């Protein structure tokens, strides 16, 4: 059963900008990576899912609820990290978290303090005085503290140092283990490769491919055939490089990382 459905969603900002005929379905309990470089349409898609933008063409649903018609409930119940955190600048982090807790009618024994400790958030400053990383931590705490079943995360690790990025990836793994549905946008290959079941690659507002990490890797594996002088040499070579030996020849398959695959889709001509 699907938790997130996007059907033929388009938003034309003119000049080739926007999103065009995006369709994605994410199962309950699945971790979906939405991978694309800056300006490819990730945030625009996500803002439709959160009910901040009314679809002009196409539609989207979360748990079968229309994202626009049910935006109040969606915004209240989901865990969401916005792409650019620029909210409630005059509040302190603490005031903001209290405000969000009240908005969500949270009980006292929620995960707030656990999350604050985990990400070493210092919530006492005004948000406008916080560094990008500290704001991002505040976003993480507010998205996870009510233990939501569905998480929509728009480049959640941007501005975090590598230690905190790792801590975030660990948190994602735990949430996945608990059966949470996660929609994670990122421009970082490694992040999605480590955490996601399936990946959709978006380019210039168009979904270029949607596949499992495994399938993506397999489809883009390269093999090489090496010719050696004798069958004995070929056999030894095949053993060392895990290849397949026929007479004097050995075929080896290179395992390529997701970054190389991504560059196949994205590298070179950007105007196609
Ligand atoms: N409200 C808007 N009006 C006009 N252009 C927009 C608007 N929002 C986004 N865009 C443009 O649409 C493209 C996709 O933006 P965005 O969804 O923010 O990409 P991403 O999140 O992948 O970086 C960009 O070229 C951006 O400048
Ligand atoms: Mg964005």
């Amino acid at each position: 059963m699907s938790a997130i459905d996007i059907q033929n969603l388009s938003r034309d900002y003119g000049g080739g900008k926007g999103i065009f005929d995006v369709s994605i379905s994410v199962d309950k309990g699945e971790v979906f990576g939405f991978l694309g470089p800056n300006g490819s349409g990730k945030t625009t898609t996500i803002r439709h899912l959160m009910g901040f933008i009314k679809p002009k063409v196409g539609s989207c649903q979360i748990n079968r609820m229309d994202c626009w018609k049910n935006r109040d409930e969606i915004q209240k119940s989901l865990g969401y990290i916005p792409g650019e955190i620029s909210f409630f600048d005059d509040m302190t982090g603490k005031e903001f978290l209290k405000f969000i807790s009240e908005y969500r009618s949270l009980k006292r024994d929620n995960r707030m303090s656990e999350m604050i400790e985990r990400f070493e958030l210092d919530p006492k400053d005004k948000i406008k005085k916080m560094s990008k990383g500290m704001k991002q931590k505040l976003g993480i705490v507010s998205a996870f503290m009510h233990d939501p079943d569905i998480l929509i995360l728009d480049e959640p690790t941007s501005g975090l140092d590598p230690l905190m990025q790792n801590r975030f990836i660990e948190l994602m793994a735990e949430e996945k283990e608990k059966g949470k549905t996660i929609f994670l946008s990122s421009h970082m290959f490694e992040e999605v490769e480590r955490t996601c079941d399936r990946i959709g690659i978006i380019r210039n507002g168009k979904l270029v491919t949607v596949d499992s990490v495994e399938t993506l890797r397999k489809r883009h594996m390269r093999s090489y055939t090496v010719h050696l002088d004798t069958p004995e040499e070929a056999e030894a070579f095949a053993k060392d490089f895990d290849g397949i030996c026929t007479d004097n020849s050995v075929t080896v398959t290179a395992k390529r990382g997701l970054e190389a695959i991504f560059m196949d889709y994205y590298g070179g001509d950007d105007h196609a």
Side-chain angles (χ1 to χ4, degrees):
M1 189 168 139
S2 60
I4 301 171
D5 287 292
I6 306 174
Q7 291 119 7
N8 310 102
L9 195 63
S10 298
R11 183 85 177 190
D12 193 343
Y13 288 128
K17 291 181 173 176
I19 53 171
F20 306 96
D21 205 32
V22 172
S23 298
I24 297 170
S25 174
V26 180
D27 284 341
K28 262 205 166 80
E30 190 176 29
V31 181
F32 186 87
F34 195 37
L35 186 62
N38 294 332
S40 53
K42 302 182 298 295
T43 297
T44 305
T45 306
I46 283 176
R47 290 179 60 79
H48 280 94
L49 280 177
M50 291 305 298
F52 297 129
I53 303 178
K54 184 180 179 181
K56 285 192 171 157
V57 180
S59 63
C60 41
Q61 295 89 35
I62 288 178
N63 282 341
R64 300 270 181 271
M65 289 186 293
D66 183 88
C67 292
W68 177 253
K69 288 188 192 130
N70 301 280
R71 58 190 181 279
D72 289 345
E73 182 171 350
I74 281 168
Q75 288 165 17
K76 210 167 195 167
S77 60
L78 263 59
Y80 168 59
I81 301 180
E84 279 109 54
I85 298 172
S86 58
F87 41 76
F88 309 97
D89 260 11
D90 255 328
M91 283 187 188
T92 66
K94 221 173 181 161
E95 285 163 352
F96 173 71
L97 290 173
K98 188 165 174 274
F99 170 80
I100 294 289
S101 304
E102 281 164 11
Y103 165 68
R104 293 200 172 117
S105 327
L106 292 194
K107 293 194 202 98
R108 274 179 175 280
D109 60 342
N110 61 61
R111 294 208 290 174
M112 189 201 293
S113 36
E114 179 206 325
M115 295 299 297
I116 288 175
E117 260 175 53
R118 191 163 181 167
F119 287 96
E120 298 171 24
L121 167 70
D122 179 358
K124 66 176 185 300
D125 284 337
K126 284 205 172 181
I127 294 174
K128 66 180 169 206
K129 282 194 177 165
M130 288 182 178
S131 67
K132 179 155 173 32
M134 200 54 85
K135 276 193 210 176
Q136 201 65 32
K137 291 174 177 188
L138 183 61
I140 293 171
V141 173
S142 69
F144 284 86
M145 67 183 183
H146 58 303
D147 203 16
D149 287 335
I150 299 180
L151 292 138
I152 309 273
L153 311 173
D154 195 357
E155 307 214 25
T157 60
S158 66
L160 296 184
D161 61 40
L163 176 76
M164 288 300 155
Q165 283 184 14
N166 273 332
R167 231 169 253 187
F168 187 80
I169 286 170
E170 279 165 24
L171 174 66
M172 291 264 299
E174 287 171 28
E175 297 299 300
K176 178 182 153 70
E177 198 63 31
K178 286 196 260 171
K180 302 299 173 73
T181 307
I182 305 177
F183 190 95
L184 167 93
S185 97
S186 178
H187 63 272
M188 284 182 286
F189 331 102
E190 206 204 332
E191 186 169 82
V192 287
E193 187 172 26
R194 282 175 69 185
T195 50
C196 297
D197 303 313
R198 266 191 321 143
I199 292 174
I201 298 177
I202 186 167
R203 168 181 179 158
N204 297 335
K206 292 179 190 130
L207 206 57
V208 189
T209 184
V210 182
D211 242 320
S212 71
V213 177
E214 270 322 296
T215 309
L216 274 176
R217 276 208 202 100
K218 272 189 199 134
R219 196 192 302 153
H220 292 266
M221 277 193 305
R222 283 190 187 148
S223 41
Y224 301 87
T225 303
V226 182
H227 305 284
L228 293 113
D229 289 337
T230 64
E232 290 73 30
E233 275 182 302
E235 213 167 285
F237 187 92
K239 222 172 166 187
D240 284 348
F241 291 93
D242 201 18
I244 296 163
C245 186
T246 34
D247 298 328
N248 289 14
S249 305
V250 180
T251 301
V252 288
T253 304
K255 271 225 169 88
R256 300 171 71 223
L258 197 64
E259 178 155 2
I261 294 165
F262 183 80
M263 292 317 286
D264 280 352
Y265 283 107
Y266 214 81
D269 178 21
D270 268 3
H271 306 288

